[in-house]
Amino acid sequence: MLEWWIQNTLTALLVLIFTIIIILVYFALFVNINWVKGRKFQTGDKDFILRNKKRGNLPPVFPNGWYAVSESSELKKGQVKHVIALGENFAIFRTVSGIVKILDAYCPHLGANLGQGLVKGECLECPFHHWLFRGDGYCENIPYSEKVPVNAKTRTWESCEVNNLIFVWYHAESEEPNWRPQAVPKISNGTWRYQGKNEFYVNSHIQDIPENGADVAHLNTVHGPAMFLNNIFPGLMRHSWSDAKWMACKNDSEIQEIPQTDGTVSNGINRKKSCETMQKHKAILHLKHSLILLEKFKLLELSVKAVQIGPGYVELQLDSFWGSMYILQTVTPVEPMLQRITHHMYSSRSLGPYAKIVIIGETLMFQRDIEIWNNKTFTKTPLLVKQDRAITEFRKWYSQFYSDNSPTFQTASKSLDW
């Protein structure tokens, strides 16, 4: 009897272990990581964005550039959605032929929200009186009128769809785009598989987020301590960030690199011309990551290349021993001091389990930055040392995205007070 009980117990344990292994393998290969942090903030939710903290002497709050306003998967053929961003209300719709168009959300007739309308062929129908608007903003038909006025038109917004994201072009002077986000071939052709994302809302000025890339000194202070067991075993492991170089692409194709920051993050001056001509809207950060175990062994080594493209979009390539992964970061102002930030992870299917570990680690690391951003003020003239030179260079580079009519915090906030 005892032998029968032991045998059956062992069999049950083996079945349980095998089942757990199957579940873990299935999770690693086929289940995406989707980490959405916090509640959805809506326009007018001032308790969050106007809480009692010093904002500082802020730059304009909506820089000129391309901003992600939706994921492609969120907008099927014949669908429309209302999106609030950049102090604007957008009606984003996909025609039956699959083309994405963006109009002002409010109908010029009597102000109904076109984001609540219906897609009719290549047009968007107002839910109030069924006025029909084309993708170029002109009214195609008014059902109870034989004639459509020549001025029956709503504002249109330049858009593009690339890397499974939908972007809108914002420019305070209404200038046409002089650059566009480009397709990442392995994402566009499906070679790399979507592995998951995270999403956060951050209470800060938009410039604070990309400025982190130039602030290489913060890497080992904020992101050096291990994510787990650090309080219990302080000497067990730590993260090492080294060889950090921030570079701004310039009109003449010259890359400017910033000198050494400290003893752990080495840097030199490199005049190599590897930026394309007329790519001044780009900046590049190179760095290396290692998990140091017992101050002897290097694990999880990654070589990172982060390309900042305009004010609110970053493409990160992470090269590991097992292969490459890609993270797309988007930063979109919802309100003057409220940013929606996402990271979308892509990799080959075989690298999926490792990519999921990396996106979880990136999520936990990114929350350390959020704690800083949510509680800091923007310092227009910071007290810097020579090792912080990259921050000065970053601010010069980033200033190109501001123009004479770029909204300030005061002017942009007025639209929220009515």
Side-chain angles (χ1 to χ4, degrees):
M1 182 68 180
L2 179 61
E3 183 179 344
W4 175 87
W5 182 85
I6 293 174
Q7 183 177 356
N8 281 274
T9 301
L10 290 175
T11 301
L13 285 173
L14 288 173
V15 170
L16 178 61
I17 293 171
F18 180 75
T19 301
I20 292 174
I21 291 174
I22 292 296
I23 292 173
L24 291 175
V25 170
Y26 176 82
F27 177 84
L29 291 177
F30 301 107
V31 179
N32 295 328
I33 302 298
N34 288 288
W35 187 307
V36 179
K37 182 71 172 179
R39 62 192 178 95
K40 302 287 186 179
F41 295 101
Q42 303 296 326
T43 299
D45 196 355
K46 300 184 182 63
D47 289 341
F48 181 79
I49 64 169
L50 299 181
R51 65 186 182 178
N52 187 24
K53 81 166 188 178
K54 184 179 179 181
R55 287 184 290 271
N57 191 356
L58 299 173
V61 291
F62 302 145
N64 300 321
W66 290 96
Y67 294 94
V69 287
S70 178
E71 297 174 27
S72 294
S73 60
E74 296 175 339
L75 200 67
K76 308 298 183 184
K77 288 183 180 180
Q79 286 187 339
V80 61
K81 64 184 298 188
H82 176 213
V83 172
I84 302 171
L86 297 151
E88 303 289 346
N89 285 262
F90 303 112
I92 306 173
F93 69 103
R94 191 185 296 278
T95 69
V96 293
S97 65
I99 301 173
V100 172
K101 298 291 183 180
I102 301 181
L103 305 178
D104 260 3
Y106 299 117
C107 179
H109 178 215
L110 285 175
N113 192 332
L114 296 175
Q116 296 179 327
L118 294 175
V119 176
K120 296 291 184 71
E122 301 300 297
C123 298
L124 182 59
E125 181 185 79
C126 175
F128 201 4
H129 298 90
H130 291 186
W131 286 32
L132 201 63
F133 292 91
R134 302 197 306 253
D136 62 4
Y138 284 94
C139 182
E140 177 79 10
N141 180 61
I142 300 174
Y144 53 88
S145 175
E146 295 181 359
K147 184 179 180 180
V148 177
V150 293
N151 64 341
K153 183 182 185 297
T154 187
R155 182 177 179 180
T156 60
W157 295 83
E158 187 81 25
S159 65
C160 69
E161 186 172 14
V162 63
N163 300 327
N164 301 322
L165 296 169
I166 297 171
F167 293 86
V168 67
W169 172 255
Y170 176 90
H171 200 287
E173 320 296 328
S174 298
E175 292 184 7
E176 294 295 316
N178 53 8
W179 58 273
R180 291 175 179 271
Q182 299 299 308
V184 178
K186 290 186 178 181
I187 293 177
S188 298
N189 63 24
T191 302
W192 282 341
R193 181 179 180 272
Y194 172 71
Q195 302 293 350
K197 72 169 184 178
N198 57 41
E199 177 183 305
F200 299 94
Y201 287 82
V202 178
N203 181 206
S204 74
H205 190 278
I206 181 175
Q207 187 174 312
D208 282 328
I209 285 83
E211 189 165 287
N212 250 27
D215 181 14
V216 294
H218 94 283
L219 292 170
N220 284 313
T221 55
V222 176
H223 302 293
M227 288 181 282
F228 306 105
L229 303 177
N230 188 58
N231 293 330
I232 303 175
F233 304 106
L236 180 62
M237 66 181 81
R238 64 179 175 85
H239 295 271
S240 171
W241 306 88
S242 60
D243 299 330
K245 301 180 182 72
W246 183 90
M247 303 167 286
C249 295
K250 298 192 175 180
N251 252 345
D252 58 0
S253 303
E254 180 183 349
I255 289 182
Q256 180 178 355
E257 295 197 359
I258 306 306
Q260 184 171 327
T261 58
D262 56 36
T264 59
V265 182
S266 63
N267 200 354
I269 299 295
N270 185 348
R271 300 296 182 181
K272 183 179 178 182
K273 296 183 178 181
S274 62
C275 275
E276 300 175 15
T277 303
M278 298 304 293
Q279 297 293 296
K280 67 174 185 176
H281 62 278
K282 291 184 179 181
I284 302 174
L285 170 68
H286 292 279
L287 71 150
K288 293 182 179 179
H289 165 270
S290 299
L291 181 64
I292 308 298
L293 183 64
L294 299 173
E295 295 298 329
K296 292 183 179 180
F297 307 102
K298 289 186 176 182
L299 307 174
L300 300 177
E301 294 184 88
L302 291 172
S303 179
V304 181
K305 176 185 177 182
V307 182
Q308 176 81 38
I309 305 172
Y313 178 55
V314 182
E315 296 177 352
L316 297 98
Q317 180 170 324
L318 294 78
D319 296 322
S320 72
F321 174 80
W322 295 280
S324 297
M325 297 160 285
Y326 224 80
I327 296 178
L328 305 179
Q329 182 198 67
T330 71
V331 183
T332 303
V334 179
E335 292 181 352
M337 292 290 285
L338 180 62
Q339 318 302 324
R340 176 179 177 266
I341 306 176
T342 69
H343 296 89
H344 297 77
M345 168 65 85
Y346 289 88
S347 76
S348 64
R349 181 179 292 274
S350 61
L351 206 61
Y354 184 51
K356 290 179 174 63
I357 294 173
V358 172
I359 191 64
I360 291 173
E362 190 273 342
T363 298
L364 296 174
M365 280 289 185
F366 196 71
Q367 289 185 96
R368 298 181 183 182
D369 292 315
I370 292 174
E371 283 299 308
I372 301 293
W373 291 327
N374 277 345
N375 294 282
K376 76 183 290 293
T377 187
F378 184 88
T379 306
K380 186 176 181 179
T381 54
L383 177 61
L384 302 175
V385 296
K386 66 178 182 179
Q387 290 83 0
D388 293 323
R389 181 183 165 196
I391 297 175
T392 302
E393 294 297 323
F394 166 83
R395 293 194 173 193
K396 291 179 182 177
W397 172 82
Y398 200 84
S399 65
Q400 68 181 295
F401 304 117
Y402 302 126
S403 55
D404 291 341
N405 292 317
S406 291
T408 64
F409 177 82
Q410 290 75 19
T411 59
S413 298
K414 287 180 180 178
S415 64
L416 305 178
D417 293 334
W418 68 273

